[in-house]
Amino acid sequence: MSLSSHLEELKKKHQSLSTAVESAQRSPSTSDAEIREMKKQKLQIKEKIVRLDTSM
C-alpha cells in the first residue's frame, strides 16, 4: 500500500468515526465511555494522519 493510499484510508476511517461519534451523542442509549473510546480512536487516527502528512 502506498503512503498516499494509506493516508486516504486513514482519512476515511477518521470521517467514519466522526459520523459515528455524532450519531452516538444523539443516542441516549450510548454510554459516555463508548463515546469517549470512539473519540480516543479518532484522535489517534488524526495524529497518524498528521505524522504521515508531514512526512510526504
Side-chain angles (χ1 to χ4, degrees):
M1 179 183 287
S2 72
L3 184 60
S4 60
S5 63
H6 183 59
L7 188 58
E8 285 304 312
E9 195 60 36
L10 286 173
K11 287 179 180 180
K12 287 178 187 176
K13 286 182 182 179
H14 185 267
Q15 181 57 47
S16 176
L17 271 172
S18 237
T19 303
V21 167
E22 289 174 15
S23 177
Q25 287 175 327
R26 289 190 299 268
S27 173
S29 64
T30 307
S31 73
D32 289 343
E34 290 173 297
I35 293 171
R36 194 170 34 253
E37 184 59 34
M38 285 190 283
K39 286 182 175 184
K40 182 179 175 183
Q41 290 174 7
K42 187 177 159 193
L43 179 59
Q44 289 171 341
I45 291 172
K46 183 66 174 183
E47 289 170 346
K48 287 180 187 178
I49 290 170
V50 169
R51 276 196 308 265
L52 289 174
D53 208 22
T54 57
S55 68
M56 290 182 83

